[in-house]
Amino acid sequence: MRRIYVDKILEGKPTECYCRSQNGISNCEEKNTGISDTLFGRKNVFREMGFSRITPSRSGQRQSSQSNDMGKTRWSDCGCASCVSWMKNGDDAKLHVVVKNPSKGKGNNDDSGENVIFLHGFLSSSFLWTETVFPELNSSKYKLFAVDLLGFGNSPKPRECLYTLNDHTEMIEKSVIHEFNLTSFHLVAHSMGCIIALALAAKHPNNLKSITLIAPPCFLSSGEEDATQIALKKLAYKRLWPPLSFGASFMTWYEHLGRCVCYFVCRHHTTWEKILKLITRQRKLNFLVIDLTRHTHHSAWHTMHNVICGGAKMMDPCLETLRAARARVSVVQGSRDLVVPVECSNNVKVKVPDAEVKIINGVGHTAVIIGREKEFAKDLEIIWDSVTNAKG
């Protein structure tokens, strides 16, 4: 709770937390459909002991990313040149997007290629695609867009944003679809990015040519629990092993402790990167290591709950929309995925019977892409070409 008072001293106002009673939650959900009830529904030791009474009121619940504080950073967030470079654009800030145009060849120009939008997963960035798959794709046929999602990588990390599913999709529309006047596109997404990709595809079913989901966290509601609570338990199950699962559960269940970790690690990521370079004697660190710290606790915390957990209940209507539109849906996942249960891929098939599901033996959550880049790129091109030829 001391963190709240430090916020008040250094920023002039306290930053509200979710260590409070359940009062008013239903009203909050009715007014903000993008807010997940997992933000309030977690068991909290301090709440049960009555300490939450000293927590500031959340009566002024923040509504969206459009705020006067968008161009400010918290004392506990990193203020290095890379992390705040987007602030110079203020309210006009857009996502960081890496664009790879089709190479000019005989009878070819920049506008002749197929448009493909790539979305990364949680605690990742556009590096997942630009450092692995992009070099393996046919450079003369496709115009590629790799996006840093809101709150991650080099994209804006507004302090007043609730990072709802709608916030993420609107920023992609603003930064890619509208910015580059895309009238048709393919979607490729990994892990959490699949939830955002499905929501985006459902908003633009007539512009969608195909959607490829890699390890999609898709959960079906049961008679006893809705998809939101199932996603929280499945993806953030409290366990010590493997380390990735332990980290996910720790950062999902404990808001204040999680922010402390982000303060010591993410805020000082440049220092840790220098230390790692000295230890490993490498001039350039692996992008997977760098991506782990390129976020704020606020962006990661809310995205985890409002997109991964809260977005779980939105998957049914999104998949229904794609099924009705007869969209080309492909699913790829590794048989040894320890982050997202393999059953999730089959859940997509339940909702979209025509979806193609491919389980790759012997690979895990990211190894389904990294380490088999050529095979993965070839599979993508087969999907895209089949759609083009079918409509041609």
Side-chain angles (χ1 to χ4, degrees):
M1 298 302 171
R2 293 177 182 175
R3 184 268 294 173
I4 296 174
Y5 296 106
V6 175
D7 285 347
K8 186 173 184 179
I9 293 172
L10 297 181
E11 299 174 8
K13 67 175 183 178
T15 300
E16 303 98 333
C17 68
Y18 295 91
C19 299
R20 64 187 294 275
S21 69
Q22 300 284 329
N23 296 334
I25 294 174
S26 58
N27 292 333
C28 182
E29 289 176 335
E30 289 176 5
K31 295 178 182 178
N32 304 278
T33 56
I35 298 177
S36 172
D37 58 4
T38 60
L39 284 167
F40 306 94
R42 296 164 296 107
K43 290 184 178 180
N44 186 285
V45 174
F46 297 104
R47 179 190 302 150
E48 293 172 357
M49 294 175 66
F51 294 159
S52 60
R53 295 172 186 170
I54 64 175
T55 306
S57 171
R58 296 184 62 87
S59 57
Q61 179 71 39
R62 291 160 290 188
Q63 299 291 325
S64 69
S65 61
Q66 303 303 318
S67 168
N68 293 330
D69 288 329
M70 184 174 180
K72 298 180 181 179
T73 183
R74 288 193 174 94
W75 64 272
S76 55
D77 295 337
C78 182
C80 74
S82 174
C83 289
V84 301
S85 61
W86 58 272
M87 290 184 177
K88 61 183 179 181
N89 295 318
D91 291 337
D92 294 325
K94 296 182 177 68
L95 299 179
H96 176 73
V97 182
V98 179
V99 183
K100 183 177 181 182
N101 288 303
S103 59
K104 292 185 178 180
K106 216 172 192 181
N108 188 35
N109 57 64
D110 285 349
D111 297 322
S112 63
E114 297 279 330
N115 300 311
V116 188
I117 302 174
F118 290 81
L119 305 181
H120 62 80
F122 193 60
L123 302 187
S124 186
S125 77
S126 55
F127 281 141
L128 175 67
W129 310 111
T130 59
E131 296 290 311
T132 60
V133 181
F134 275 27
E136 304 298 334
L137 291 170
N138 190 324
S139 59
S140 66
K141 297 177 64 176
Y142 309 110
K143 186 170 185 178
L144 311 177
F145 301 86
V147 179
D148 279 1
L149 294 174
L150 184 67
F152 299 92
N154 290 320
S155 281
K157 303 169 181 66
R159 57 178 288 179
E160 295 300 316
C161 180
L162 290 175
Y163 295 90
T164 63
L165 188 57
N166 194 51
D167 287 329
H168 282 281
T169 56
E170 285 185 350
M171 281 298 285
I172 295 172
E173 290 173 320
K174 174 184 176 181
S175 307
V176 184
I177 297 178
H178 298 157
E179 177 74 9
F180 296 93
N181 299 314
L182 303 187
T183 56
S184 67
F185 52 85
H186 300 272
L187 278 171
V188 180
H190 177 246
S191 195
M192 179 198 74
C194 295
I195 299 174
I196 300 172
L198 283 169
L200 188 66
K203 291 181 70 174
H204 302 273
N206 296 327
N207 304 108
L208 180 72
K209 303 193 77 172
S210 75
I211 181 169
T212 303
L213 308 172
I214 300 99
C218 178
F219 298 93
L220 302 178
S221 298
S222 66
E224 299 178 354
E225 294 180 300
D226 64 14
T228 296
Q229 292 297 330
I230 294 174
L232 177 66
K233 291 181 179 180
K234 293 276 188 177
L235 300 177
Y237 181 73
K238 294 182 179 180
R239 55 185 173 183
L240 297 177
W241 194 263
L244 188 61
S245 296
F246 167 73
S249 62
F250 182 87
M251 298 299 288
T252 301
W253 287 85
Y254 308 107
E255 180 179 5
H256 297 285
L257 294 177
R259 188 173 174 188
C260 288
V261 171
C262 283
Y263 173 77
F264 286 107
V265 179
C266 301
R267 187 182 192 278
H268 303 93
H269 69 86
T270 54
T271 300
W272 292 113
E273 287 170 11
K274 290 177 183 178
I275 294 174
L276 284 175
K277 286 179 181 179
L278 288 174
I279 295 174
T280 60
R281 297 183 179 180
Q282 294 180 355
R283 297 182 62 183
K284 183 179 179 181
L285 295 176
N286 187 288
F287 70 89
L288 293 174
V289 175
I290 295 175
D291 285 346
L292 285 174
T293 61
R294 296 302 173 90
H295 63 272
T296 65
H297 175 260
H298 185 79
S299 67
W301 170 264
H302 284 86
T303 297
M304 176 67 194
H305 284 282
N306 291 338
V307 174
I308 297 180
C309 295
K313 62 185 177 184
M314 298 301 298
M315 294 301 94
D316 279 7
C318 290
L319 289 170
E320 287 290 339
T321 299
L322 297 186
R323 183 185 63 80
R326 303 184 67 83
R328 175 68 182 269
V329 180
S330 302
V331 182
V332 182
Q333 189 168 7
S335 64
R336 299 181 63 183
D337 195 326
L338 298 178
V339 179
V340 176
V342 179
E343 67 188 60
C344 289
S345 291
N346 296 323
N347 290 341
V348 175
K349 183 82 172 175
V350 171
K351 289 296 179 180
V352 185
D354 292 335
E356 299 177 4
V357 177
K358 185 176 182 180
I359 305 299
I360 310 299
N361 290 327
V363 298
H365 191 62
T366 56
V368 71
I369 301 171
I370 302 172
R372 52 184 307 275
E373 292 88 352
K374 289 185 177 180
E375 300 167 78
F376 183 77
K378 184 178 179 180
D379 288 342
L380 288 179
E381 290 184 351
I382 291 173
I383 294 170
W384 302 335
D385 289 344
S386 66
V387 175
T388 302
N389 295 335
K391 294 184 177 181

